[in-house]
DNA sequence: TTGAAAATGAAAATCATTTTCATTTTCTGC
DNA sequence: GCAGAAAATGAAAATGATTTTCATTTTCAA
């Protein structure tokens, strides 16, 4: 249930995730909190994130390099088109992929479904 | 081009990947090679995998816990539906996503386009 | 044969994440 | 308010995958 209380650290972490408005790693969130003058330890950031993930308030997934990244559930979800040469990025509205995900998952009886999708290539400038 | 030569270690790693027939981590592959009596160091396994990945002979992706896993690139391109609980994996035929990728990329003038897409959730058994 | 280039692997370094543990804060019943 | 229990906190140590260093060995072309 979501009957659990939320402690101070969890509130701070949610706050910074709101400001970020997308994905960020634990280390990044920790830095942002520090810079914002918040007094909070790295360990506590990790613990707050674990707790928020298991309460389904935050989504967790992985960067290419394996680092965990987090975002508030219900942030406006989108994907990216990235240039492998210059790194420039376009945000993609992906309703087609959202439907695809949902239908595949249903077809196989999966629940609590999430997904990742990135497109990469070489941009017109490069 | 794929004109590069392949060294002994890379051949050993390909061999064990063939035997495995699916995904395995670097550490697992190293263990398997050891048990199989092959003399090869962990560092070399990592290096061989890096090289094979960059030559597009091996696919790399991430377990839920962030560990990298590898498998031989099959001729048939597909995606995965993975259970975050038990790790069981379903291979997905993704013509819808292939079209989506292509149309988005064209729309933005990108070339040499690739993509990643994974769906994860909790399987019926779990 | 010989010297340069490539490959190898043990050990050390990195780096995200988790665990430990002693301290501090919050809560509960009186 | 007050004592003691429970929860939260964070510094430091531990963990574990991966990368880097570096000295040694192997390969290969001239
Ligand atoms: Zn570009
Ligand atoms: Zn999506
Ligand atoms: Zn499962
Ligand atoms: Zn595809």
């Amino acid at each position: 249930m979501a009957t659990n209380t939320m402690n101070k650290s969890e509130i701070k972490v949610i706050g910074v995730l709101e400001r970020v408005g997308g994905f960020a790693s634990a280390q990044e969130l920790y830095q942002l909190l520090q810079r914002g003058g918040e007094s909070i330890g790295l360990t506590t950031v990790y613990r707050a994130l674990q707790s928020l993930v298991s309460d389904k308030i935050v989504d967790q997934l992985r960067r290419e390099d394996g680092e965990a990244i987090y975002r508030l559930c219900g942030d406006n979800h989108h994907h990216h088109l990235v240039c492998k040469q210059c790194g420039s990025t376009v945000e993609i509205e992906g309703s087609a992929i959202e439907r695809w995900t949902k239908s595949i998952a249903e077809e196989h009886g999966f629940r609590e479904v999430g997904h990742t999708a990135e497109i990469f290539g070489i941009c017109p400038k490069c």
Side-chain angles (χ1 to χ4, degrees), chain A residues 93-108:
Chain A
E93 220 339 293
S95 64
I97 215 182
E98 310 309 321
R99 282 195 302 275
W100 176 73
T101 296
K102 195 180 261 185
S103 78
I104 297 272
E106 270 170 16
E107 193 177 311
H108 292 83

Side-chain angles (χ1 to χ4, degrees), chain A residues 59-70:
Chain A
D59 277 339
Q60 175 187 43
L61 55 89
R62 297 271 165 191
R63 290 210 179 117
E64 261 320 90
D65 69 355
E67 189 172 356
I69 51 180
Y70 306 85

Side-chain angles (χ1 to χ4, degrees), chain A residues 36-101:
Chain A
E38 290 289 359
S39 162
I40 187 172
L42 180 58
T43 311
T44 305
V45 171
Y46 274 105
R47 270 194 293 241
L49 285 169
Q50 282 178 325
S51 165
L52 292 169
V53 167
S54 82
D55 289 351
K56 311 242 160 59
I57 294 165
V58 163
D59 277 339
Q60 175 187 43
L61 55 89
R62 297 271 165 191
R63 290 210 179 117
E64 261 320 90
D65 69 355
E67 189 172 356
I69 51 180
Y70 306 85
R71 77 165 167 205
L72 283 182
C73 285
D75 270 355
N76 79 322
H77 167 91
H78 60 255
H79 299 270
H80 294 106
L81 172 58
V82 186
C83 176
K84 340 183 219 196
Q85 205 102 99
C86 69
S88 66
T89 298
V90 183
E91 290 196 356
I92 299 300
E93 220 339 293
S95 64
I97 215 182
E98 310 309 321
R99 282 195 302 275
W100 176 73
T101 296

